[in-house]
Amino acid sequence: MEQAPIDRAATLALAAGVRRMLVKVGDTRTRLDAPFTEADVTRYLVHEDGFLRVPVLLVGDLLVRGYTEELYLEALSGRHGETL
């Protein structure tokens, strides 16, 4: 079963309950704390074609954009804020 693309409105709704984001873009990792603006969510999650085109992990009120082993270990262990 193919997953339908997630558009900007659905991405904003997905991020509405998020209080923290760990974001990996290229070699850069960034921490963001709520409140997030629509511009924050759009900048980090919405591709220029208007859809969510990156993998995200949601753990409670934490959203992780991009993958590194360290980010996933932090997200899944509950050690938010200790390393990056």
Side-chain angles (χ1 to χ4, degrees):
M1 176 181 218
E2 188 173 319
Q3 173 80 27
I6 299 173
D7 66 14
R8 184 178 183 278
T11 302
L12 290 170
L14 176 76
V18 172
R19 308 301 318 149
R20 298 162 295 148
M21 285 198 290
L22 300 177
V23 178
K24 179 187 178 296
V25 178
D27 291 334
T28 303
R29 288 180 267 172
T30 303
R31 288 182 193 287
L32 300 165
D33 292 311
F36 306 113
T37 65
E38 284 188 21
D40 293 330
V41 174
T42 300
R43 177 180 178 198
Y44 291 112
L45 300 179
V46 179
H47 190 266
E48 55 196 34
D49 67 1
F51 293 95
L52 176 66
R53 297 279 186 207
V54 294
V56 296
L57 172 68
L58 289 173
V59 179
D61 66 353
L62 172 67
L63 183 145
V64 180
R65 183 239 192 245
Y67 173 82
T68 69
E69 186 174 346
E70 294 82 19
L71 286 179
Y72 272 42
L73 285 172
E74 180 179 339
L76 296 172
S77 72
R79 298 181 291 119
H80 312 299
E82 291 180 22
T83 62
L84 182 62

